């Protein structure tokens, strides 16, 4: 009798599952870290059952830590996508914004905007435009 081979997901699937698990664990851990520490039980009890012992927990989680965590996840994802786009566009796995001159161009644009006393939005727009121009 022939023994059947156990079906295994592709190796890329294992990596994706592992990275997703790491992201979830890190996210729950990040909700608890800060000036006022919270246990994982308190966080999960609030998120899933809306039960909390202290009235500051909802404010702390929803208005302080959640925006910080989701902002970090979105910024990291945006950096990963832009890095992959650079590597795909230039067909070079070693390409980076520093090599292409984007960082220098953006820094120059931000410096010019600061000299001309533009606001925060003006500084960001100038850095973005001169970064694009530098490439």
């Amino acid at each position: 009798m022939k023994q059947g081979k156990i079906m295994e997901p592709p190796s890329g699937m294992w990596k994706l599952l592992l990275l997703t698990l790491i992201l979830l664990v890190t996210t729950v851990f990040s909700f608890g870290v800060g000036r006022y520490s919270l246990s994982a039980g308190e966080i999960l009890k609030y998120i899933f059952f809306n039960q909390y012992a202290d009235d500051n927990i909802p404010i702390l989680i929803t208005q302080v830590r959640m925006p910080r965590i989701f902002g970090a996840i979105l910024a990291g994802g945006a950096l990963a996508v832009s890095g992959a786009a650079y590597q795909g566009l230039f067909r070079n796995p070693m390409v980076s914004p520093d090599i292409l001159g984007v960082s220098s161009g953006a820094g120059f644009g931000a410096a010019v905007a600061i000299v001309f006393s533009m606001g925060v939005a003006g500084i960001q727009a100038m850095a973005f435009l001169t970064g694009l121009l530098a490439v």
Side-chain angles (χ1 to χ4, degrees):
M1 183 181 216
K2 207 175 189 185
Q3 289 183 345
K5 189 175 183 183
I6 296 175
M7 293 292 292
E8 294 183 14
S11 64
M13 181 64 80
W14 283 114
K15 290 177 187 176
L16 181 64
L17 289 173
L18 178 65
L19 291 173
T20 303
L21 180 65
I22 291 171
L23 176 65
L24 290 174
V25 169
T26 305
T27 301
V28 171
F29 177 74
S30 297
F31 274 111
V33 176
R35 174 83 170 109
Y36 301 104
S37 62
L38 298 173
S39 69
E42 289 175 319
I43 296 163
L44 295 174
K45 190 188 293 186
Y46 173 71
I47 290 174
F48 290 114
F49 303 112
N50 200 20
Q51 297 175 352
Y52 48 91
D54 187 8
D55 290 337
N56 292 327
I57 290 177
I59 296 168
L60 186 63
I61 289 177
T62 59
Q63 295 180 10
V64 177
R65 295 187 181 165
M66 192 178 296
R68 177 187 69 188
I69 293 166
F70 289 152
I73 291 171
L74 289 174
L79 288 170
V81 168
S82 65
Y86 267 152
Q87 290 175 352
L89 180 67
F90 292 103
R91 291 178 172 69
N92 182 355
M94 297 298 289
V95 74
S96 73
D98 299 327
I99 293 171
L100 298 175
V102 176
S103 299
S104 300
F108 174 74
V112 168
I114 290 170
V115 167
F116 288 116
S117 300
M118 296 180 166
V120 173
I123 293 170
Q124 290 177 355
M126 191 74 155
F128 179 74
L129 291 175
T130 53
L132 282 177
L133 187 64
V135 172

